[in-house]
Amino acid sequence: MQVGGPLGAYIPEAHFDTPMDYESFTGIRALVGHGGMVAFDDTVDMAQMARFAMEFCALESCGKCTPCRIGSTRGVEVMDRIIQNKNRGANLHLLRDLCDVMLNGSLCGLGGLIPFSGAQRTEALSKGFRHR
């Protein structure tokens, strides 16, 4: 389940019983955001979802800060390589680093929020989710 909009966190089934409040969601590295929820079944392509988040950020970026403007564009490229199964391990590591830079270096919420969804998707990708 995704909570909080296009850059919202993905909540795995193990956390479905988490109370929907700011403090509880912070405890599981998620954000309530605007409170919207999208449910997915087990056929969702997590790689494509991660790519969508990066592409959304690249298109919506105001361009004022480098981590968001360049980071999201590079994120799309990295996700394309992951989807194509090109040097997957190194690209997953690069994506984690990129999310860290965006989280800690972006000036606004857009670039700072993508790691909440992107990093979680990266974890899902590295734990066996594959491009379908």
Side-chain angles (χ1 to χ4, degrees), residues 25-108:
F25 269 45
T26 298
I28 61 168
R29 292 193 60 193
L31 297 172
V32 173
H34 59 61
M37 293 185 194
V38 179
F40 298 98
D41 64 15
D42 61 353
T43 64
V44 68
D45 187 332
M46 294 301 285
Q48 288 294 339
M49 296 306 295
R51 187 189 188 286
F52 168 77
M54 287 292 182
E55 184 177 34
F56 177 86
C57 191
L59 293 171
E60 294 296 319
S61 175
C62 71
K64 289 183 181 178
C65 69
T66 302
C68 181
R69 182 183 73 246
I70 302 299
S72 56
T73 300
R74 296 293 84 86
V76 172
E77 296 166 358
V78 171
M79 282 310 308
D80 285 341
R81 290 193 299 269
I82 291 169
I83 289 167
Q84 296 165 5
N85 211 22
K86 292 181 180 176
N87 204 1
R88 185 181 177 88
N91 280 303
L92 284 168
H93 181 77
L94 179 59
L95 186 61
R96 282 188 205 101
D97 287 349
L98 186 60
C99 284
D100 186 53
V101 169
M102 292 177 76
L103 175 65
N104 295 303
S106 294
L107 298 175
C108 72

Side-chain angles (χ1 to χ4, degrees), residues 15 18-19 21-31 116 120:
H15 293 294
T18 302
D21 61 53
Y22 295 106
E23 294 79 14
S24 298
F25 269 45
T26 298
I28 61 168
R29 292 193 60 193
L31 297 172
F116 283 97
Q120 287 176 337

Side-chain angles (χ1 to χ4, degrees), residues 1-3 6 8-12 40 44 46 49 116-117 120-121:
M1 176 167 308
Q2 184 183 25
V3 179
Y10 277 72
I11 310 296
F40 298 98
V44 68
M46 294 301 285
M49 296 306 295
F116 283 97
S117 58
Q120 287 176 337
R121 292 182 197 129

